[in-house]
Every structure is written in structure tokens, then in C-alpha cells.
Amino acid sequence: MAIQPNEVDSGKFNVEADLPYELRLRDFEMAMQDVYDFFYDVNSHLAAKGLQRLDDMLRPAIMSGVLSDMISASLAKHSRTLTENQYFNGHPDLIVQGRYPDNAVKAGEDGIEIKTTRKAGGAVDTHGAREQWMCVFVYEVDTEKQPAVDRAPMSFKEVYLSHVLITDFRKNPRSELGTRTATLDRDGVKKLRANWIYKL
């Protein structure tokens, strides 16, 4: 089983994008390539043992969580001013280096929240409406092609980054057992998409 490598298309970035906190387009490119390289290395190892690709093993919610953590870590590594929030489950995922004690804050204002989704266009559920810089990575996993050995590698298709306000969200209905979530409303999604970073 030959695993296919993947490469970020450097020609698909928006040179007009508004980037906060001294971020550069190449920070995004290197972070995305880090993820591609990780999946190639891991999947090559799994395939050599006759096992499924990581992409095929993980449930969608788990895959999104893994990608969010990986992107956060890689962007922090390449960024000039941002670092990972050391507070467990703190917000936002990336914070300005040295702004908060021990680079840890439960709910901070200076930084970027990272989200990943398979939904084209970047509309993604959050745990609550808040003013924030929000970055959404839209990715695609090939689970259909047969045989499985011919499946394409996981790919980032779109990346959006925008400063959103509480008023840009709508609250979602909650079932008895569900957790309340909020999603950008129509105008909020339009604002997010206006400052696109990458489109494949």
C-alpha cells in the first residue's frame, strides 16, 4: 500500500488577507505542511504493517480535535508572537507570548481561536459566542475511493481568519442532553469568508 504525500499549494494564499499578531502567510503554509508531513509519516508506517490509515481510523470529531491541536502547535512554532495557551481547555488556543502569567489563561482576549471542520465555507459550531479572532481550517478526508489504498491524502481546502463579535453569532437549539453551542450567523459567516487565507 503506497501512501501518497501531500504538498501545500503556495499559490493559493490570499496576499491581501488581514493578518493580526505579526502572522505571515508562510506561517500558515509551514503549519499546514507540518500536518501533511505528520500524516504521511504515520500512514506510511501503518501501511507497512498492513493497517488502516489514521484518516480512516479516526471518527470525524476526533479527527477535527487532532487537527486543531496540531495546527495550534505548528502555528505557535512558526509564529513570531503567538504561543499555545497552557491553560487546559483555555480560550483562545493561541495567545500572545508573555501577555498572560505562564502563558496560561482560562478566557483571554489577545490571541486566536483555532477551529477545524469538514463543512465547506467554514461555518463551525463553537462553545459560546464571544468577541475573538477566529481561524477556521476546512479539510477533506477521502473515505469513499475504492480500493482504500487509492485514497487521496487529507487536504486543507480552505482557511479563514476574521475578528468576530458576539453579535455575529446565533445560538443553536439545545436538546436535554446537549451542550449549548453557537455558530456564526449569515453575516458573521460572510465576514469570516471575506478574509480568506487559503483556497484550494
Side-chain angles (χ1 to χ4, degrees):
M1 178 177 177
I3 296 297
Q4 301 177 49
N6 205 354
E7 295 285 336
V8 178
D9 188 338
S10 58
K12 300 297 184 179
F13 286 92
N14 178 15
V15 296
E16 302 296 327
D18 180 20
L19 300 177
Y21 304 117
E22 303 296 325
L23 280 168
R24 302 157 296 185
L25 291 177
R26 66 176 176 268
D27 296 332
F28 287 88
E29 181 174 357
M30 290 186 290
M32 292 158 66
Q33 191 62 52
D34 284 347
V35 175
Y36 285 169
D37 292 347
F38 172 85
F39 272 81
Y40 176 73
D41 292 342
V42 169
N43 286 335
S44 294
H45 181 71
L46 291 171
K49 293 181 174 294
L51 299 172
Q52 285 183 307
R53 301 180 312 162
L54 190 61
D55 319 40
D56 298 319
M57 290 183 190
L58 297 180
R59 292 175 297 181
I62 301 298
M63 181 71 161
S64 288
V66 168
L67 288 176
S68 293
D69 288 346
M70 292 182 69
I71 283 290
S72 296
S74 290
L75 267 178
K77 180 176 70 175
H78 298 297
S79 166
R80 299 169 68 195
T81 68
L82 298 174
T83 189
E84 288 184 90
N85 188 348
Q86 297 303 310
Y87 193 98
F88 176 72
N89 221 19
H91 182 280
D93 298 306
L94 297 174
I95 57 176
V96 176
Q97 173 79 32
R99 185 67 52 87
Y100 303 103
D102 300 319
N103 290 321
V105 61
K106 183 176 181 180
E109 296 180 358
D110 300 314
I112 297 176
E113 180 74 357
I114 303 295
K115 298 291 184 184
T116 60
T117 181
R118 297 188 191 197
K119 297 177 186 176
V124 61
D125 290 343
T126 68
H127 290 302
R130 63 176 93 200
E131 182 176 351
Q132 61 186 331
W133 277 97
M134 186 167 73
C135 186
V136 181
F137 289 77
V138 178
Y139 67 97
E140 183 177 270
V141 174
D142 180 3
T143 59
E144 302 294 330
K145 192 175 294 180
Q146 296 294 339
V149 294
D150 293 331
R151 289 178 183 168
M154 183 279 296
S155 292
F156 293 110
K157 297 298 184 180
E158 308 159 32
V159 181
Y160 303 100
L161 172 65
S162 184
H163 184 261
V164 295
L165 306 174
I166 293 176
T167 53
D168 290 323
F169 289 85
R170 60 174 170 79
K171 292 182 179 178
N172 300 321
R174 179 178 61 174
S175 66
E176 286 187 29
L177 299 178
T179 301
R180 183 175 296 280
T181 61
T183 307
L184 291 172
D185 62 19
R186 181 180 299 177
D187 290 336
V189 170
K190 186 177 179 180
K191 179 192 288 189
L192 179 73
R193 292 174 182 169
N195 195 49
W196 63 275
I197 304 297
Y198 181 81
K199 285 184 182 179
L200 192 60

